[in-house]
Structure formats: structure tokens, C-alpha cells
Amino acid sequence: MKAGIVGLPNVGKSTLFNCLSNAKAQSANFPFCTIEPNVGVVNVPDSRVAKLEELVKPERVQMATVDIVDIAGLVRGASKGEGLGNQFLANIRETDAIIHVVRCFDNDNIVHVDTTVDPVRDKETIDIELQLKDLETVEKKLERVKKTARTGNKDAQKEQDVLERVKAGLESAISVRAIEFTEKEREEYIKPMQFITDKPVLYVCNVDENSAVDGNSYVDALNEAVKDENAEVIVLAVGMEADITELETFEERQLFLEDLGLNEPGASVLIRTAYKLLNQQTYFTAGVKEVRAWTINIGDTAPQAAGVIHTDFEKGFIRAEVIAYDDFVKYGSEAKVKEAGKMRVEGKEYIVKDGDVMHFRFNV
């Protein structure tokens, strides 16, 4: 699962990517410095891992990860191939969620492609290009579906109805994610189309250092513009985040954050938000060899969770021994949890909860 960073040129996308991944994507004050999408595998910050490490004292620790893709800046006309539009739009299509970086700061030394700072206009520029590309996709599909529908095919007629609603929404500048469908319609007709504007979106307001805690008028304007979108919005001083990553020690970083009135780097908040945006959650295995955070989809069953470790675990699943994270911390060890009668045995239908500490029994 991948989250793609998008936005206009020069809004801080590659700088943000560098902060998140510690990969050194080129960061320059001109458009299109990122041509091929850079992919970073980023640890998901999770204080529970450190606590389990403290209790279990394992030989090694493995965090959960999320893939972040840095995609070059889109410009007006990208849907028609302007700039490097076709390539960029194809890269976005391959991601599962969108991190949309919007410039919310003034700085005469950093060129804005539209000369002035206006986050609402910039957001709409990107939206329109993505919507136009989806409109092109749905129109091509409709041509084929209409031919079949004219023969009296009931399934094709139903699909035609759904796609025409998509087309009407896009023509009214409404993204697919904001159009109402039944769960069945979405599963059967919308998801297979992989519409770009159906992907969940997180808006990142890139602000100056002084606005890192409380935001500013640009942030307020963007929040108002997206209030009906069911989208996440976070405020991040990307330049400051870059400075934090350059500090040598944890103590130095914490002092820097405290001076600014922040509890943790904004990049950590962003990574966790992206993880949830991708519909992902974490369960743990905790033994003397390893404490590890495993990534699964929200709603996965115990056998599906076991399959993330190895396919044989899922095929031969017998049962799962489950400890709630809070119980593990409260009693301090697996043995003491068992003594207290707080370990549960769950079967194939069990829906795994975020933070479960699990041990699987299987036979193949």
C-alpha cells in the first residue's frame, strides 16, 4: 500500500519526502526537479513498540512501515499532458491514497507557479486536473457500456446508471469520493475503475515556523474549502521539519520541539495519519527473539493477520492466542497475563483489533 505526495511545483513535496524517508530526493527551487517517483519505506512511529521492547527485552525490534511516493509537481493542463502531466497522473493512479501538499506560507525567495499564494486556488487546480483525467476515463468506459446496455443487458444498464452519475459529478467539479453510492455499487462498479479522485486524501498545509502550532489565515481558508470533503487536514512546517531531521540526538530534537511548543515532530503525525488513510492498523508479536509490529488492513480476521507473517500460518490456522496491549502493559509479561486469565483464545472469525499482541497456532 502506497501514499503518494502530490501538489503544485515548489510547495515543499520533495523536502517533506526527505523528512519522512531520510532518502535524499533532489529538492530545488524550480518545477519538475523530481521526474521519476521516489519511493521511501517509512517507519510508523508507535510508542507501544518501545514499551513492549522495555518489557520483553528482545534481541531485535521491527516497526510497522508505510510506503511514501514523491510524485513530481502537477501544473494546470496536466490532464492534457502539460508539463509532464501524463506521466505524473499515471504515477498517482498507482498509489492507494493521496497526500496533497498545499503552500500556506509567504516567501518571496520561493517562486510560486501562479505568482501569488492562494491555497484554495492551488487545491482546486490539482482537483480539476485529477477530475478531468477521471472524466476522460469514465467517458471511454461509458461508450462501451452503452452499447451493451442497448441490447437489454440488465447489468450493463445498471453500470451505465452508476457511470453517468460519476460523469455528472465530475462535470460539476465533484470528486468521485464525494459522490454517494451504495456499498454494492462502489464495490462492483467504482473500485474496479481505480478513479484517481476516489482515493482518500490528506491535505498537508505547509506553513512557516511561526504558524506550526496554531496555523494561519491560509490554513483557515483551506479548512473551510474542504469541510464537506470528509478529508483529513494537518498543519506542518516542512522547512522546520527538515531542520529537525538534521539534529544529531533525540534530546536535541526534543528541546527544539519544546521551544516551538510541539510535543512531537509533525512528520510523525503525518505518517500515522497516512497509515490510517490507507485503512491499515497494527498488531504485535512479542518474544525474546523479536518484538515486531505487523501491518494489516482494518477489519482483517485472525487467519488473514497470520498470513502476513507467512502464508502457511493462514492456510493451516488453528487458533490465535490474543492479549490486549493494555493488559500486556498492566501485567508486564505474557506469563502474568495468563495467570490473571486475560489471554483469550480466538478462532477463524475473530476480527483483529489495533494493538492486539498475538501468537498463532497452525498446522500444515
Side-chain angles (χ1 to χ4, degrees):
M1 301 287 280
K2 297 176 183 176
I5 302 175
V6 306
L8 293 175
N10 290 351
V11 296
K13 298 182 308 302
S14 292
T15 305
L16 175 61
F17 176 80
N18 290 340
C19 293
L20 298 178
S21 66
N22 292 323
K24 296 301 177 187
Q26 184 185 1
S27 178
N29 182 22
F30 55 88
F32 310 128
C33 68
T34 308
I35 306 302
E36 294 299 324
N38 295 279
V39 181
V41 181
V42 183
N43 284 335
V44 179
D46 193 332
S47 59
R48 296 174 299 183
V49 175
K51 188 63 182 176
L52 289 172
E53 180 183 12
E54 178 190 319
L55 294 171
V56 178
K57 297 179 175 54
E59 293 175 14
R60 60 182 178 269
V61 173
Q62 178 75 46
M63 306 284 283
T65 61
V66 62
D67 287 359
I68 304 290
V69 186
D70 179 24
I71 298 169
L74 284 173
V75 294
R76 191 174 286 108
S79 59
K80 303 299 180 189
E82 290 296 323
L84 296 170
N86 291 329
Q87 182 179 340
F88 299 165
L89 288 162
N91 292 335
I92 295 169
R93 195 180 295 282
E94 290 170 5
T95 65
D96 303 286
I98 294 171
I99 299 170
H100 186 163
V101 183
V102 186
R103 178 170 168 175
C104 293
F105 65 89
D106 294 306
N107 186 332
D108 293 338
N109 295 319
I110 298 178
V111 179
H112 191 293
V113 289
D114 285 328
T115 69
T116 58
V117 177
D118 184 340
V120 176
R121 177 204 59 207
D122 294 351
K123 167 216 173 296
E124 289 172 351
T125 296
I126 299 290
D127 283 352
I128 288 166
E129 295 307 320
L130 301 185
Q131 288 162 359
L132 286 171
K133 198 65 182 175
D134 278 350
L135 187 59
E136 182 184 307
T137 301
V138 77
E139 285 175 340
K140 286 178 182 175
K141 180 74 170 179
L142 259 174
E143 280 180 33
R144 299 193 297 273
V145 171
K146 281 179 178 177
K147 290 177 184 175
T148 309
R150 282 195 290 268
T151 68
N153 184 296
K154 298 293 184 187
D155 287 339
Q157 289 172 351
K158 178 61 179 173
E159 185 171 11
Q160 181 182 336
D161 171 65
V162 172
L163 295 179
E164 283 179 342
R165 280 151 56 199
V166 172
K167 182 173 181 286
L170 291 168
E171 287 173 338
S172 301
I174 300 170
S175 293
V176 176
R177 77 178 76 85
I179 303 171
E180 286 193 18
F181 301 103
T182 65
E183 196 171 320
K184 186 179 180 186
E185 287 171 341
R186 192 165 282 283
E187 283 296 323
E188 288 188 20
Y189 306 117
I190 301 301
K191 283 190 178 178
M193 294 291 292
Q194 293 184 300
F195 290 115
I196 298 172
T197 65
D198 191 39
K199 299 179 189 297
V201 64
L202 163 65
Y203 292 102
V204 177
C205 299
N206 183 11
V207 299
D208 57 75
E209 185 176 308
N210 294 329
S211 304
V213 177
D214 298 318
N216 55 31
S217 59
Y218 291 136
V219 174
D220 294 340
L222 188 73
N223 269 312
E224 179 64 23
V226 306
K227 65 181 181 182
D228 297 324
E229 284 193 27
N230 193 28
E232 296 274 353
V233 180
I234 66 171
V235 176
L236 203 66
V238 173
M240 183 191 75
E241 296 288 329
D243 292 339
I244 292 171
T245 62
E246 296 298 322
L247 296 173
E248 293 287 328
T249 67
F250 175 79
E251 288 74 19
E252 285 178 312
R253 291 192 288 273
Q254 286 304 111
L255 284 171
F256 190 104
L257 289 166
E258 284 171 17
D259 287 344
L260 295 165
L262 297 169
N263 295 321
E264 64 176 336
S268 297
V269 178
L270 188 153
I271 294 165
R272 285 198 300 272
T273 307
Y275 193 64
K276 289 179 181 174
L277 202 67
L278 290 164
N279 196 44
Q280 295 185 319
Q281 66 178 10
T282 301
Y283 78 88
F284 303 104
T285 51
V288 291
K289 289 284 184 187
E290 181 182 68
V291 162
R292 182 161 182 166
W294 298 90
T295 298
I296 57 171
N297 292 321
I298 295 171
D300 274 359
T301 61
Q304 289 171 317
V308 173
I309 299 176
H310 197 287
T311 52
D312 283 350
F313 283 31
E314 182 172 3
K315 289 175 188 171
F317 179 90
I318 299 171
R319 65 180 183 273
E321 295 169 355
V322 183
I323 302 169
Y325 169 79
D326 287 344
D327 285 337
F328 200 106
V329 172
K330 178 181 178 180
Y331 294 102
S333 71
E334 184 177 315
K336 288 180 180 175
V337 169
K338 284 181 180 176
E339 282 176 24
K342 293 293 185 179
M343 178 183 281
R344 308 189 313 276
V345 176
E346 301 286 359
K348 292 182 178 180
E349 304 302 314
Y350 177 66
I351 305 296
V352 178
K353 295 179 178 62
D354 185 61
D356 279 349
V357 181
M358 305 186 75
H359 183 70
F360 299 104
R361 300 293 182 185
F362 69 102
N363 183 35
V364 289

